[in-house]
């Protein structure tokens, strides 16, 4: 492991496991495709991160990606997923992460201290995260059960509506001020997460939803995998107003590696140099400060820049940051230190 192990705000490896694309044993031994496995993680300094449990929408993701190669696009939000369907996927997601731990590929972490200890280890530090809370019941009994099982981070929505609130569409150009914010049930969910000290993820929430969380939450505001709207005017990115709210709460943003949310032209095209990522980095540091910017790759859920390719390519990003003038102190913050700070402040341990 390098001296700058990367703790990452978001990846979708669990979805590959649930779809049967790979097995836990293959992740431990090494894969020929995808973005994350144990050997490549060790090679690239990928120390771990938030492992998302996500319920996929019906339809063909490839069609969405094809639309996103155009100069402009406005892709309809997917249909709402039923609680019953979401529950099945979510329960199997927890089991998949536990199976992954059993192979020695990851070490499940429930405290910031456990994350810090795991980062230099051969196993990836894995924090259980739910992306889109369709499986959470209105009485929050499952939320408490899953918290006891290890859940430490939750996004109320993905880019589709839930009983809790409203997501942003895949629309370019556009801003995230789209539709109403959290429902009354969603506001109760934020309060319950605060009580349990579960991190609330703002990524995918629309503008009014973010404002609702800011009014309600007593924890730092965190967007695990989002970018700067000022650089790429995509609805998935954060406006300066939103960044100011995150700064004022002493929260943070993890830079998303998804090509369409990085490129100023909004295209889903991986052929570009890392100077575009550095533009987002500069804007986020200028707006948030050096203590509130990290990485949130979206590995295994996005088309990432060709110079990175997968988690073994993280040294290319480290070198780009170093050539950009980032010294060792700031590098340690961006790669993992800022995440450890905000996790301690949110979880209390």
């Amino acid at each position: 492991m390098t001296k700058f192990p990367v703790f990452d705000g978001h990846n979708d490896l669990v979805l590959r496991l649930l779809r049967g694309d790979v097995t836990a044993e293959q992740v431990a031994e090494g894969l020929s495709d995808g973005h994350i496995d144990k050997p490549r993680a060790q090679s690239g300094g990928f120390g771990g991160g938030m492992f998302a449990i996500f319920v996929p929408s019906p339809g063909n993701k490839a069609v969405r990606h094809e639309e996103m190669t155009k100069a402009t696009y406005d892709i309809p939000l997917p249909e709402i997923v039923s609680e019953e369907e979401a529950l099945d996927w979510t329960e199997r997601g927890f089991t998949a992460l536990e199976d992954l731990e059993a192979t020695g590929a990851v070490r499940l972490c429930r405290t910031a201290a456990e994350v810090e200890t795991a980062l230099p280890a051969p196993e990836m530090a894995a924090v259980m995260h739910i992306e889109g809370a369709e499986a959470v019941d209105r009485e929050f009994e499952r939320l408490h059960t899953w918290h006891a099982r290890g859940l430490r981070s939750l996004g109320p929505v993905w880019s589709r509506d839930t009983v809790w609130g409203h997501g942003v569409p895949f629309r370019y150009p556009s801003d995230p001020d789209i539709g109403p914010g959290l429902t009354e049930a969603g506001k109760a969910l934020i309060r319950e997460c605060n009580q349990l000290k579960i991190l609330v993820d703002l990524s995918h929430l629309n503008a009014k939803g973010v404002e609702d969380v800011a009014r309600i939450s007593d924890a730092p505001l965190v967007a695990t995998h989002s970018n700067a709207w000022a650089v790429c005017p995509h609805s998935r990115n954060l406006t300066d107003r939103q960044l100011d709210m995150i700064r004022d709460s002493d929260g943070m943003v993890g830079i998303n590696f998804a090509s369409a949310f990085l490129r100023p032209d909004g295209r889903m095209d991986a052929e570009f140099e890392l100077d575009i990522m550095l533009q987002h980095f500069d804007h986020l540091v200028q707006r948030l400060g050096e203590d509130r910017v990290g990485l949130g790759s979206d590995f295994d859920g996005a088309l990432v820049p060709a110079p990175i390719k997968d988690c073994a390519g993280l040294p290319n990003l480290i070198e780009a940051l170093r050539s950009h003038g980032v010294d060792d102190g700031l590098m340690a913050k961006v790669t993992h230190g800022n995440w450890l700070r905000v996790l301690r402040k949110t979880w209390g341990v």
Side-chain angles (χ1 to χ4, degrees):
M1 187 63 68
T2 69
K3 64 185 290 189
F4 301 112
V6 169
F7 183 86
D8 179 51
H10 185 92
N11 76 71
D12 285 299
L13 176 61
V14 173
L15 183 58
R16 298 196 73 209
L17 291 164
L18 294 183
R19 283 178 161 159
D21 299 339
V22 298
T23 66
E25 291 75 18
Q26 288 172 327
V27 173
E29 294 167 4
L31 298 165
S32 60
D33 62 354
H35 292 152
I36 297 174
D37 59 37
K38 184 178 177 181
R40 282 182 289 176
Q42 290 179 283
S43 171
F46 183 82
M50 309 282 199
F51 283 65
I53 299 171
F54 167 67
V55 181
S57 293
N60 189 344
K61 183 179 179 181
V63 172
R64 186 174 81 233
H65 281 195
E66 179 63 27
E67 282 294 305
M68 293 173 72
T69 64
K70 298 177 180 178
T72 64
Y73 47 84
D74 185 0
I75 302 169
L77 284 172
E79 295 296 319
I80 292 175
V81 172
S82 72
E83 183 178 327
E84 181 180 12
E85 180 182 359
L87 179 58
D88 174 65
W89 280 91
T90 302
E91 287 284 4
R92 290 191 295 115
F94 282 109
T95 301
L97 275 169
E98 290 161 350
D99 290 345
L100 206 56
E101 183 176 48
T103 69
V106 305
R107 183 185 301 182
L108 293 175
C109 299
R110 295 165 174 81
T111 68
E114 289 177 356
V115 171
E116 186 169 21
T117 299
L119 281 179
E123 307 89 3
M124 292 173 276
V127 174
M128 290 179 166
H129 168 81
I130 286 178
E131 183 179 34
E134 288 97 338
V136 176
D137 59 292
R138 297 291 189 95
E139 293 74 34
F140 304 126
E141 292 179 5
R142 293 183 200 127
L143 190 68
H144 283 255
T145 298
W146 291 333
H147 178 263
R149 198 169 175 178
L151 178 67
R152 291 296 180 270
S153 178
L154 176 145
V157 304
W158 178 71
S159 285
R160 62 183 173 232
D161 293 346
T162 70
V163 299
W164 316 110
H166 305 276
V168 291
F170 295 93
R171 180 184 297 167
Y172 178 91
S174 178
D175 70 34
D177 190 8
I178 300 162
L182 296 177
T183 63
E184 290 305 311
K187 295 172 184 177
L189 174 63
I190 303 307
R191 295 186 184 99
E192 199 71 19
C193 286
N194 280 177
Q195 179 184 327
L196 290 170
K197 298 188 183 300
I198 293 173
L199 183 148
V200 174
D201 181 15
L202 303 178
S203 295
H204 290 281
L205 262 178
N206 68 4
K208 289 185 174 60
V210 170
E211 291 175 10
D212 285 338
V213 175
R215 279 192 294 268
I216 295 166
S217 182
D218 60 12
L221 299 177
V222 176
T224 62
H225 58 304
S226 294
N227 294 329
W229 188 89
V231 178
C232 170
H234 197 292
S235 56
R236 263 288 278 116
N237 289 337
L238 299 165
T239 64
D240 285 351
R241 172 177 164 77
Q242 292 173 316
L243 294 176
D244 291 349
M245 288 188 285
I246 292 169
R247 177 201 62 212
D248 293 346
S249 75
D250 200 18
M252 69 172 290
V253 174
I255 297 174
N256 192 326
F257 294 9
S259 299
F261 310 146
L262 285 169
R263 295 172 58 112
D265 64 7
R267 291 179 186 268
M268 185 73 77
D269 180 347
E271 298 301 324
F272 61 95
E273 297 303 317
L274 296 182
D275 61 314
I276 290 178
M277 291 189 74
L278 299 178
Q279 292 175 38
H280 286 271
F281 173 79
D282 286 344
H283 189 83
L284 292 172
V285 168
Q286 184 273 327
R287 207 79 196 187
L288 298 170
E290 293 185 354
D291 295 333
R292 301 181 188 90
V293 179
L295 303 177
S297 70
D298 214 351
F299 278 147
D300 283 318
L303 183 69
V304 307
I308 296 176
K309 185 180 176 182
D310 58 32
C311 68
L314 285 169
N316 294 333
L317 176 58
I318 301 297
E319 182 55 36
L321 287 166
R322 188 181 299 283
S323 297
H324 193 58
V326 175
D327 62 19
D328 282 2
L330 180 53
M331 192 77 76
K333 290 181 179 182
V334 171
T335 53
H336 60 277
N338 289 343
W339 273 117
L340 289 172
R341 180 193 67 79
V342 85
L343 293 182
R344 286 193 188 96
K345 190 167 182 179
T346 303
W347 297 343
V349 286

